[in-house]
Amino acid sequence: MLSRLIPFDRPRPPARGGALQTIYDAAATGWQDGISKLGFLAAYADLMQAAHAPPSQPRVLDVGTGTGAFAGAWVDAHGTPACLTLTDISPAMLDTASARLPQARTIVASVGKTPDDLPPQDVVLCAHVIEHLDDPNASLTWLFERVAPGGILILALSRPHWCTALVRWRWGNAAYTPEHARTMLAVAGFTDIALHPFTHGPPSRVSHGYIARRP
Ligand SMILES: C[S@@+](CC[C@H](N)C(=O)[O-])C[C@H]1O[C@@H](n2cnc3c(N)ncnc32)[C@H](O)[C@@H]1O
């Protein structure tokens, strides 16, 4: 019913206006505390535990890393990878991520722009990013191309809910039902698509985790 009233599957400009990068630069200082209080660090930790152990020297990329919370959850669950790369459009976010994960290489880059020297990765992480972008299908296809054959994508994606409507009012993010997300992941080429609902608190209402494989 709510989904009929609110076009959750399309992003809208953030209510406060301004470019997304400027808004996330301004949010960088309090971001990690904020998502921790809302329960996202615990939710991310649960999702990472659900991923099978990676190859012994994995290459891991976190796209739209923010303060590095999703990548940090990976490191806590599976250890420091052979190579960890964090990207974001917000230099301020990347500075906080770099302080938290000093072993990582950080790159200011947008989804769709591949650093020339970045090979396909064993694990690609992406939490709450593509719901900001105009073409989620193109974004998922780009993410698919970043994953090495046999590698995995671990995705956190906003889901429709009245709580998400409040988040969306501030941040402008879209939100996708599991059916919609599965279809988009399959069209991008992913297989073994598994939904991992978050079990507690705000993450259980506004988001879903997914793990999918590149064949
Ligand atoms: C909702 S935050 C999520 C941050 C982090 N992944 C987490 O879960 O805490 C979205 C992040 O995506 C970044 N972002 C937005 N548009 C992007 C784009 N086109 N390419 C890469 N990063 C982007 C923002 O700067 C911000 O850090």
Side-chain angles (χ1 to χ4, degrees), residues 13-170:
R16 288 178 300 165
L20 203 55
Q21 182 216 312
T22 311
I23 290 169
Y24 274 111
D25 273 340
T29 306
W31 187 263
Q32 186 81 2
D33 270 0
I35 63 172
S36 175
K37 284 181 186 140
L38 289 169
F40 280 95
L41 300 190
Y44 289 173
D46 285 349
L47 178 59
M48 295 307 168
Q49 291 292 346
H52 292 302
S56 60
Q57 295 288 306
R59 296 156 298 181
V60 178
L61 166 68
D62 186 16
V63 175
T65 193
T67 52
F70 213 42
W74 170 272
V75 170
D76 289 345
H78 299 284
T80 301
C83 184
L84 177 61
T85 307
L86 312 175
T87 68
D88 204 287
I89 56 168
S90 160
M93 283 287 195
L94 277 177
D95 284 348
T96 62
S98 189
R100 183 159 292 107
L101 296 164
Q103 70 276 38
R105 174 189 183 198
T106 57
I107 305 170
V108 178
S110 179
V111 168
K113 300 271 188 298
T114 317
D116 288 341
D117 60 345
L118 196 68
Q121 304 284 300
D122 304 297
V123 181
V124 173
L125 311 173
C126 188
H128 302 123
V129 181
I130 68 164
E131 51 267 65
H132 284 298
L133 308 180
D134 288 334
D135 189 344
N137 293 298
S139 302
L140 284 170
T141 299
W142 182 82
L143 287 169
F144 179 83
E145 288 161 0
R146 305 281 72 70
V147 181
I152 56 170
L153 171 72
I154 306 181
L155 183 71
L157 197 57
S158 299
R159 55 165 289 210
H161 189 277
W162 67 264
C163 292
T164 309
L166 302 180
V167 178
R168 176 181 158 83
W169 180 81
R170 183 170 185 198

Side-chain angles (χ1 to χ4, degrees), residues 179-206:
E179 295 72 26
H180 195 159
R182 277 180 187 282
T183 300
M184 291 195 298
L185 284 161
V187 166
F190 288 101
T191 60
D192 304 333
I193 300 161
L195 168 69
H196 293 273
F198 296 124
T199 52
H200 295 94
S204 70
R205 296 191 282 279
V206 304

